Amino acid sequence: GQYTRALDNFRQAHEIDPGHWQALFNTVVVAAFDLREMELADKAMARLDEIQPAPPQLPALKQALAEFRARLDQEASS
């Protein structure tokens, strides 16, 4: 429930180790699904896309994010 604190911790981890994909992955999850801060989630996703090798969970996260965004769009248009 301490989403802001979690995001702060993820940011710090990423600053210490820019290749720390799990911090970016978790940022996407918390920003999008918990806080609905899609711009922050998109920025973290863009950085996550740049990490090589890409984490194996990345395709599933992208799919979940796309489905969530579609639901948000549906709710907004209802």
Side-chain angles (χ1 to χ4, degrees):
Q2 297 182 359
Y3 304 121
T4 303
R5 186 173 182 190
L7 288 175
D8 240 11
N9 289 336
F10 302 149
R11 182 189 48 76
Q12 288 175 8
H14 184 66
E15 286 175 358
I16 292 168
D17 179 5
H20 194 278
W21 67 266
Q22 190 69 48
L24 290 171
F25 189 96
N26 292 342
T27 298
V28 173
V29 171
V30 170
F33 302 113
D34 294 318
L35 298 175
R36 295 185 177 196
E37 291 185 18
M38 302 311 287
E39 186 175 328
L40 178 58
D42 290 342
K43 287 179 183 179
M45 180 64 79
R47 282 185 261 147
L48 194 53
D49 272 333
E50 296 171 355
I51 292 179
Q52 294 300 323
Q57 302 91 331
L58 189 57
L61 179 60
K62 286 183 175 184
Q63 180 65 35
L65 190 59
E67 291 170 4
F68 184 69
R69 190 182 305 276
R71 277 194 306 255
L72 289 178
D73 290 346
Q74 267 186 330
E75 289 173 9
S77 66
S78 301

